[in-house]
Amino acid sequence: MSVKRVLIVEDELAIREMMKFAFHKSEFNLQEAEDAEQAQVFIKDNRPDLILLDWMLPGMSGLELAKRLKTDPDSKDIPIIMLTARGDENDRIRGLDCGADDYVVKPFSPRELLARIKAVLRRVDPAMDDTIEVGGIKLDNSTHRVSIADKTLEFGPTEYKLLHFFMTHPERVYNRSQLLDRVWGGNVYIEERTVDVHIRRLRKVLAEHKAEHLIQTVRGAGYRFSTQP
Ligand code: CA
């Protein structure tokens, strides 16, 4: 699976440095922003998998940014962990009210924060689990093994990533540009018809196991992984 990208929005350099050090040996890739404005630009170009958001920022507050991100359809699914110096119950409620998924009170240990990140990611994204089974397909993310009725399917790396994405986001339609963004990652410039090429290859392998019906073309909209006809 691709490395999870975590964006930290924090004006205090010492905390960013501490996190950089802690993340260095973790399975996450850490990106940084110093304030809400920088964070907004960054998120548009480079969708993170999770945001660590400091409450007290110069300019727009972390709370305000969380509210905006959670009401924007493009970013509302990105989980947010608020970093706060306030332990006050009311503030805690306000933080979770604005849509944050969790919060951590400063000072925190990087180890504690990493554990909270994993817990939040696992909650919002079942893809963090090692094995997924949908529509008779079994996908083991630790070995990258895909099988149907105990028979192994052979895929190229892109088809694997595509299938993994579909299986963890079933019953929803994605257009080509969304698939490029979520499967290939932001900042890559690939023609949209590349998506069709890989969908075709994926279907071909699935067809050998009579499972091609799981990848559906939705006319004028895109593709959907569905166990329903
Ligand atoms: Ca701060």
Side-chain angles (χ1 to χ4, degrees):
M1 189 178 43
S2 56
V3 174
K4 294 275 178 194
R5 287 173 301 194
V6 175
L7 172 68
I8 183 165
V9 190
E10 165 66 84
D11 56 312
E12 278 168 77
L13 180 64
I15 293 182
R16 295 205 311 272
E17 292 294 323
M18 175 181 88
M19 293 314 298
K20 242 197 313 214
F21 184 75
F23 271 66
H24 178 64
K25 281 188 176 157
S26 78
E27 67 265 54
F28 303 110
N29 183 338
L30 186 70
Q31 311 283 347
E32 304 167 49
E34 285 177 36
D35 55 37
E37 286 71 25
Q38 241 185 44
Q40 282 177 306
V41 172
F42 185 89
I43 292 162
K44 263 208 183 84
D45 296 340
N46 214 325
R47 182 193 171 87
D49 296 293
L50 183 140
I51 300 168
L52 299 173
L53 182 52
D54 185 31
W55 184 299
M56 300 288 280
L57 291 169
M60 190 194 298
S61 75
L63 194 64
E64 182 58 34
L65 177 61
K67 270 188 210 152
R68 290 194 186 194
L69 292 172
K70 288 296 185 184
T71 48
D72 182 340
D74 283 339
S75 57
K76 70 174 175 40
D77 294 335
I78 305 174
I80 296 175
I81 297 179
M82 297 291 296
L83 307 178
T84 170
R86 312 163 178 224
D88 185 272
E89 192 70 15
N90 284 334
D91 287 336
R92 179 184 145 179
I93 291 164
R94 275 212 295 158
L96 295 176
D97 252 7
C98 74
D101 298 83
D102 200 357
Y103 78 101
V104 173
V105 179
K106 288 178 184 174
F108 51 81
S109 79
R111 233 168 103 176
E112 177 198 350
L113 185 56
L114 281 169
R116 299 285 275 273
I117 291 171
K118 281 182 206 168
V120 169
L121 284 174
R122 196 164 281 133
R123 202 164 65 218
V124 299
D125 182 4
M128 287 286 284
D129 283 336
D130 277 352
T131 41
I132 318 159
E133 202 168 347
V134 190
I137 305 179
K138 209 164 144 186
L139 186 145
D140 185 337
N141 211 20
S142 57
T143 58
H144 279 211
R145 217 187 130 193
V146 181
S147 59
I148 293 178
D150 286 331
K151 293 209 175 67
T152 304
L153 280 65
E154 300 291 343
F155 293 111
T158 305
E159 286 73 43
Y160 175 85
K161 278 201 274 187
L162 197 53
L163 179 65
H164 182 269
F165 177 76
F166 276 134
M167 286 178 71
T168 51
H169 300 80
E171 312 299 339
R172 271 161 69 176
V173 182
Y174 292 92
N175 65 32
R176 291 170 181 81
S177 113
Q178 285 168 327
L179 286 171
L180 277 177
D181 209 41
R182 305 289 291 272
V183 177
W184 278 258
N187 283 347
V188 284
Y189 297 97
I190 299 174
E191 283 183 66
E192 292 196 351
R193 65 189 169 89
T194 305
V195 174
D196 303 328
V197 173
H198 290 281
I199 293 270
R200 239 184 343 260
R201 287 189 195 155
L202 179 56
R203 274 186 177 141
K204 206 176 148 213
V205 179
L206 291 176
E208 291 164 14
H209 301 264
K210 300 188 169 45
E212 73 275 21
H213 59 276
L214 294 168
I215 310 276
Q216 303 169 355
T217 304
V218 182
R219 216 168 242 283
Y223 297 104
R224 170 178 59 207
F225 181 93
S226 175
T227 53
Q228 291 146 36

